[in-house]
Amino acid sequence: MTRKIWFVGAGPGDPELITVKARSLIEKADAILFAGSLVPLALTQWSKEACVILDSKGMVLEEITNWLIEQAQPDKTVIRLQTGDPSLYGALIEMVQPIDKAGIEVEVVPGISSAMASAAAAVESLTLPEVTQTVIMTRVAGRTPMPEGESLPELAAHHSTLCLFLSITLLHKVCKELIECGWLEDSPVVVVQKASWGEAEKIVRGTLRTIKKQCQAEKIASQAMIIVSPTLGARHWDSLKKSKLYDEHFSHSFRR
């Protein structure tokens, strides 16, 4: 009989931002292991009374995978509920490898990333015609080093949109390196803490010169997305290059 573990993206925090598929799985789950440091307990609200629910915030990798494997009995629905999307900074493969060795099936349900939720909260577009069509999702080196060729100055040389995960404690380094590699000091920055978390959400707008002090004033030191982009603030620009998709002179298979 089938043994299976689901890795489910919990989204950025708001329970209403999980997918229909994710909610359906939670409703029928027999066991849920959620990342309590980042995933609100409210995301388990649809689970049945008999569901075993455990917070993994104090667990190491081996404890997490052992628990999941132990719970994955035939015809049981077992969920690892992860913040955002499991494929982004979620240690997905580290957890899947021992599960594979145990002969247990794995399926992943994607979720909304905090990068997307942050852009939505700030009502910003990460891409604009003839401004930038590229979004780089990365982080800066801290206790986890960056691979060769992926330092912030190397990536920032493209002058496209940068979404920086897990880097708010190194915001001073972010600003310093971007300015040193050619970004202007008045380049716009938006920092969103706990995007979609209701009253806990904070949005701070500034520049590479000012954003560090602004975040310090707001006591933002964790769970924050840093977005640096030439598109920021476009909502208030006097002129804007429009998308070809909706141009009356641009034809495609649905409009001629």
Side-chain angles (χ1 to χ4, degrees):
M1 300 177 72
T2 302
R3 299 172 69 198
K4 187 172 186 176
I5 295 170
W6 295 83
F7 285 81
V8 176
D14 182 351
E16 293 186 344
L17 288 179
I18 65 167
T19 63
V20 173
K21 185 168 186 175
R23 176 169 171 168
S24 177
L25 284 166
I26 290 170
E27 287 174 345
K28 65 182 181 181
D30 297 289
I32 298 174
L33 184 64
F34 74 104
S37 58
L38 298 169
V39 176
L41 180 61
L43 277 153
T44 66
Q45 66 185 279
W46 301 287
S47 61
K48 57 193 180 186
E49 189 174 343
C51 180
V52 178
I53 300 173
L54 185 65
D55 184 349
S56 68
K57 67 174 176 282
M59 301 168 72
V60 298
L61 179 64
E62 187 176 9
E63 291 172 322
I64 289 171
T65 54
N66 285 346
W67 191 89
L68 290 170
I69 290 168
E70 180 183 335
Q71 295 295 323
Q73 299 304 315
D75 296 326
K76 295 290 186 181
T77 300
V78 178
I79 295 173
R80 167 59 176 170
L81 196 57
Q82 298 199 197
T83 183
D85 182 279
S87 66
L88 278 171
Y89 304 106
L92 175 65
I93 302 305
E94 296 173 32
M95 287 183 270
V96 167
Q97 283 185 335
I99 293 169
D100 283 343
K101 289 179 181 177
I104 299 171
E105 289 186 20
V106 167
E107 189 162 339
V108 178
V109 178
I112 295 175
S113 167
S114 59
M116 304 300 107
S118 296
V123 193
E124 295 286 358
S125 178
L126 301 179
T127 60
L128 282 176
E130 298 185 40
V131 178
T132 182
Q133 297 287 282
T134 301
V135 180
I136 298 174
M137 295 185 180
T138 189
R139 62 176 297 172
V140 293
R143 287 189 292 178
T144 301
M146 292 298 289
E148 186 177 349
E150 293 187 21
S151 70
L152 183 58
E154 288 170 302
L155 297 176
H158 297 284
H159 286 268
S160 56
T161 295
L162 296 168
C163 294
L164 298 168
F165 292 72
L166 307 168
S167 301
I168 191 64
T169 59
L170 296 169
L171 183 55
H172 62 287
K173 179 179 179 181
V174 170
C175 297
K176 179 175 181 291
E177 290 189 352
L178 291 181
I179 291 169
E180 287 177 350
C181 74
W183 287 62
L184 298 177
E185 288 190 0
D186 61 358
S187 296
V189 184
V190 62
V191 172
V192 183
Q193 183 181 49
K194 292 192 172 183
S196 85
W197 285 58
E199 292 182 0
E201 177 185 277
K202 289 184 180 180
I203 302 172
V204 178
R205 297 177 185 275
T207 66
L208 289 176
R209 183 178 63 254
T210 67
I211 196 68
K212 174 62 178 175
K213 288 186 177 180
Q214 289 174 276
C215 286
Q216 286 177 330
E218 290 293 331
K219 296 181 171 56
I220 296 175
S222 65
Q223 288 181 257
M225 173 62 55
I226 305 165
I227 302 176
V228 188
S229 174
T231 67
L232 295 179
R235 185 180 184 182
H236 305 293
W237 293 355
D238 292 330
S239 61
L240 192 69
K241 295 289 185 181
K242 302 296 190 352
S243 169
K244 296 293 186 185
L245 181 60
Y246 304 112
D247 191 315
E248 63 179 326
H249 302 296
F250 187 76
S251 63
H252 52 68
S253 58
F254 295 98
R255 187 183 69 229
R256 299 195 181 278

